[in-house]
Amino acid sequence: MHPAALVGAAAGRAAHFAVSGVIGGLIFRGAAKAAPTVKPIARKALVSGIAGGIVAGRWLGSAAEEARLKAGDMLAEARSSLGEEAPPPSAVDVEGHAHDHEH
């Protein structure tokens, strides 16, 4: 896999975890402070906020994966334009496989 695709995937994952972590931390910190006095309406709003954070995290994960796939497609197209054959997509480097067992 091309280094640019790896960097893009890593950046997407980092953004996903950073945003999810900050939002989740703020929500849970606020929930812990307000838990004894939370009224049903406030609790429902808090649950909705947490659900929104989960949805946002899923969306960010999906966007990061889509960016990774698009980067891989562009890399394959660039290699094709140079007359090279693009390697199949893989998350595992099989060339440095140095131990014995059946595959």
Side-chain angles (χ1 to χ4, degrees):
M1 187 176 256
H2 192 271
L6 292 174
V7 170
R13 283 190 202 105
H16 162 75
F17 290 128
V19 171
S20 296
V22 169
I23 290 172
L26 291 173
I27 289 172
F28 288 126
R29 185 176 300 148
K33 288 180 183 176
T37 60
V38 172
K39 295 181 181 177
I41 294 173
R43 181 181 176 92
K44 190 178 283 189
L46 182 63
V47 170
S48 295
I50 292 170
I54 292 169
V55 170
R58 289 178 182 164
W59 181 83
L60 283 171
S62 174
E65 180 66 11
E66 186 176 336
R68 185 190 69 79
L69 291 172
K70 285 183 180 181
D73 287 346
M74 290 190 308
L75 178 62
E77 186 176 341
R79 285 186 176 178
S80 175
S81 72
L82 294 173
E84 298 177 7
E85 184 177 330
S90 176
V92 179
D93 180 23
V94 293
E95 291 180 24
H97 202 78
H99 61 273
D100 288 334
H101 62 86
E102 293 182 24
H103 281 269

